[in-house]
């Protein structure tokens, strides 16, 4: 056993690189989601049409039986990981408009895309989910890292949140940003379908529930509660009928942000 | 473990790794201190910080066949991977080793001397001294020096003036320097 783990790790990495080089070129994987595209033949199209018809019939039967549950698409079985993400958030299922392709967000995406071969943004999937009271656009961008679909939320400020589908279903995404005028903390929460209102408590502060629209809720927290909020916010989700459908502590550990430099702040 | 004199950019090194394994060693030596410090500031122990560092570099190596050089620095790509590893670990409650297993890398056993080496390289001693500062100085130094936040923002959060924040940062940094000097560092 050597006493220098740094040198040992370098040796292991170089050995692994040598093994890979000796094994020959690795097949190039097409970027997500283009890798899933394939040529559609007449027979496939007919099969797809038949399958779609079956789904429509099944959904119709569910509606007649009152099994729609207020339209909770997240409960519909999804075929692919990306479909599961889209099935979780209604805002991703509406048609994309020109406003959804926010130029400032596209520039930020381009910077991330350029710096990471593993980052695969789904530009056709991006949606402008709303504008905060302090004037920042909230843009949701599906992307994939190592072919695992996730969702990025850009708030226009330096902080972005990101999470995979399972995380969004369990806790959503919370993006926190320090506001200057007036001083305080802006909080943007992305929640799955079926959540109608969100309340937030940080330290001694308990804020009135905020309504959810297009899967996002926006809250403003007084400046004094910023530290408590970053350390341990308590989030409660309410369903359309007012029942609590989720309650958890959303601590520092739950946040993630991507950075091109060293100034990424949580 | 300072920067390498190799004139190639990080992106060029990553692209060259597929045919020149030594190129990844240069990339590793350039960034090991930064990545290790990144994790040490966020992980409760030197062992976990090293574990996450190893997994991050392994994931980077695994991704090199797909990497295409761009004009922008590849450093952001590496730290994006590091953030993902940190996030995964916080979510799962333990560090993953999928990339290292995929590369058939042997586990590295840490000795006390090895842990000390990690602490020195990652600035762990400074972090321990920071934790020992009075709370007001510790919060100010952490917000300004580690998180690189502007003074006015820190002042608003701590409910004091900017000049008070500056004094706390200055006293905290002086205190840490003095203790490092006492320890002969």
């Amino acid at each position: 056993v050597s006493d220098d783990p740094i040198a040992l790790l370098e040796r292991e990495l170089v050995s692994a690189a040598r093994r890979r080089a000796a094994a020959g070129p690795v097949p190039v994987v097409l970027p997500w989601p283009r890798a899933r595209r394939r040529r559609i033949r007449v027979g496939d199209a007919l099969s797809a049409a038949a399958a779609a018809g079956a789904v429509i019939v099944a959904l119709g039967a569910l509606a007649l039986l009152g099994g729609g549950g207020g339209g909770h698409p997240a409960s519909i079985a999804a075929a692919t990981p990306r479909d599961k993400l889209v099935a979780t958030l209604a805002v991703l299922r509406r048609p994309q408009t020109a406003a959804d392709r926010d130029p400032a967000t596209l520039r930020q995406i381009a910077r991330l895309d350029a710096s990471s071969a593993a980052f695969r943004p789904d530009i056709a999937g991006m949606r402008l989910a709303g504008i905060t009271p302090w004037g920042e656009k909230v843009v949701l961008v599906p992307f994939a890292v190592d072919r695992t679909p996730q969702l990025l939320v850009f708030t226009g400020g330096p902080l972005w949140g990101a999470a995979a589908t399972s995380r969004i279903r369990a806790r959503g995404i919370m993006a926190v940003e320090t506001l200057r005028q007036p001083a305080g903390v802006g909080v943007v929460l992305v929640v799955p379908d079926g959540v109608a209102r969100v309340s937030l408590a940080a330290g001694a502060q308990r804020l009135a529930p905020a309504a959810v629209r297009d899967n996002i809720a926006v809250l403003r927290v007084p400046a004094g509660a910023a530290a408590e909020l970053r350390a341990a916010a308590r989030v409660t989700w309410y369903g359309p009928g007012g029942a609590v459908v989720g309650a958890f502590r959303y601590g520092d550990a739950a946040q993630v942000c991507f950075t091109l430099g060293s100034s990424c702040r949580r | 473990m300072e920067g390498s004199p190799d004139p190639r950019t990080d992106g060029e090194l990553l692209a060259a790794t597929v045919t020149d394994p030594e190129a990844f060693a240069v990339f590793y030596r350039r960034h090991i201190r930064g990545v290790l410090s990144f994790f040490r500031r966020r992980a409760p122990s030197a062992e976990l910080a090293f574990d996450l560092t190893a997994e991050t570099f392994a994931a980077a190596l695994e991704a090199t066949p797909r990497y295409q050089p761009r004009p922008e620095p590849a450093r952001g790509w590496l730290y994006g991977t590091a953030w993902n590893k940190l996030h995964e670990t916080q979510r799962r409650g333990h560090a993953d080793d999928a990339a290292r297993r995929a590369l058939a890398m042997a586990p590295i056993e840490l000795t006390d001397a090895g842990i000390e080496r990690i602490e020195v390289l990652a600035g762990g001693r400074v972090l321990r001294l920071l934790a020992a500062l009075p709370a007001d100085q510790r919060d100010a130094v952490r917000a300004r020096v580690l998180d690189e936040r502007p003074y006015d923002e820190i002042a608003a959060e701590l409910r004091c003036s900017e000049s008070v924040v500056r004094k706390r940062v200055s006293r905290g940094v002086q205190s840490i320097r003095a203790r490092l000097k006492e320890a002969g560092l």
Side-chain angles (χ1 to χ4, degrees):
Chain A
V1 176
S2 164
D3 284 341
D4 189 352
I6 308 302
L8 278 174
L9 177 57
E10 178 180 334
R11 201 169 69 193
E12 281 298 319
L13 287 164
V14 172
S15 296
R18 285 194 186 121
R19 287 193 293 273
R20 286 172 71 97
V26 177
V28 175
V29 178
L30 287 175
W32 180 90
R34 290 186 287 274
R36 295 190 298 108
R37 290 182 185 168
R38 62 190 177 96
R39 189 178 297 166
I40 298 173
R41 294 176 298 182
V42 175
D44 292 340
L46 289 173
S47 300
V55 170
I56 290 167
V57 169
L59 289 176
L62 270 177
L64 286 172
L65 291 169
H72 196 278
S75 62
I76 298 172
T80 68
R82 184 182 182 278
D83 291 341
K84 286 180 183 172
L85 174 63
V86 173
T88 301
L89 299 158
V91 66
L92 298 181
R93 296 194 295 277
R94 67 165 171 74
Q96 189 183 54
T97 65
D100 290 322
R101 290 178 173 250
D102 175 53
T105 305
L106 284 171
R107 282 195 293 275
Q108 295 193 62
I109 291 171
R111 290 176 64 206
L112 278 171
D113 196 18
S115 65
S116 171
F119 175 69
R120 307 288 181 202
D122 176 8
I123 303 302
M126 67 186 288
R127 298 289 185 274
L128 173 62
I131 298 175
T132 65
W134 50 95
E136 288 179 346
K137 292 177 179 175
V138 179
V139 182
L140 308 181
V141 182
F143 72 104
V145 171
D146 297 333
R147 305 176 79 177
T148 300
Q150 298 190 37
L151 187 77
L152 257 175
V153 49
F154 288 89
T155 62
L159 275 173
W160 314 325
T165 307
S166 57
R167 177 86 198 180
I168 294 169
R169 287 184 174 183
R171 292 194 169 192
I173 303 173
M174 184 169 77
V176 182
E177 183 182 4
T178 302
L179 305 176
R180 294 177 188 277
Q181 293 296 335
V185 179
V187 183
V188 174
L189 297 118
V190 179
V191 296
D193 295 347
V195 179
R197 288 185 305 144
V198 178
S199 74
L200 188 65
Q205 303 272 358
R206 173 169 282 280
L207 304 183
V212 173
R213 186 175 176 184
D214 280 343
N215 294 111
I216 67 163
V218 181
L219 290 146
R220 188 196 289 266
V221 182
E228 290 93 335
L229 181 72
R230 287 195 167 90
R234 295 187 302 283
V235 179
T236 307
W237 288 351
Y238 301 92
V244 173
V245 295
F248 46 85
R249 186 177 288 270
Y250 207 126
D252 210 22
Q255 292 184 44
V256 64
C257 55
F258 291 76
T259 178
L260 298 177
S262 59
S263 60
C264 184
R265 288 172 281 147
R266 292 186 294 167
Chain B
M1 204 59 66
E2 296 300 328
S4 163
D6 193 304
R8 287 175 289 182
T9 65
D10 288 341
E12 289 167 345
L13 289 170
L14 290 171
T17 295
V18 178
T19 52
D20 174 16
E22 299 300 328
F24 196 79
V26 178
F27 178 79
Y28 170 83
R29 288 195 291 270
R30 272 186 197 172
H31 296 290
I32 178 63
R33 183 193 291 268
V35 173
L36 199 55
S37 300
F38 169 89
F39 283 123
R40 187 64 190 94
R41 289 205 301 267
R42 293 162 175 85
S45 68
E47 292 94 325
L48 181 57
F50 180 72
D51 212 14
L52 287 165
T53 300
E55 186 64 13
T56 297
F57 277 104
L61 174 60
E62 213 185 1
T64 49
R66 300 190 299 275
Y67 186 84
Q68 295 176 342
R70 306 283 179 95
E72 295 78 11
R75 183 173 176 272
W77 173 72
L78 180 67
Y79 281 85
T81 304
W83 269 111
N84 276 343
K85 296 299 173 193
L86 183 67
H87 179 53
E88 283 173 11
T89 301
Q90 288 165 334
R91 183 162 49 85
R92 292 176 180 172
H94 61 87
D96 190 19
D97 63 350
R100 282 171 286 176
R101 280 190 282 110
L103 293 170
M105 288 171 60
I108 295 172
E109 191 178 329
L110 293 177
T111 62
D112 288 346
I115 292 169
E116 183 60 21
R117 166 107 171 93
I118 291 167
E119 288 285 43
V120 169
L121 196 63
R125 279 183 184 160
V126 174
L127 291 173
R128 283 201 297 272
L129 291 174
L130 174 65
L133 288 175
D136 57 343
Q137 291 179 23
R138 183 185 62 225
D139 293 345
V141 172
R142 189 184 295 276
R144 177 61 190 161
V145 179
L146 296 187
D147 296 341
E148 300 177 6
R149 297 168 62 188
Y151 279 111
D152 58 343
E153 184 182 306
I154 302 168
E157 186 174 306
L158 299 179
R159 291 179 172 177
C160 60
S161 69
E162 281 186 45
S163 61
V164 168
V165 176
R166 287 176 191 277
K167 276 181 190 169
R168 289 177 183 175
V169 171
S170 173
R171 284 175 186 160
V173 170
Q174 278 177 14
S175 175
I176 289 173
R177 277 184 184 150
R179 292 187 184 192
L180 286 172
K181 201 172 178 182
E182 284 170 13
L185 297 171

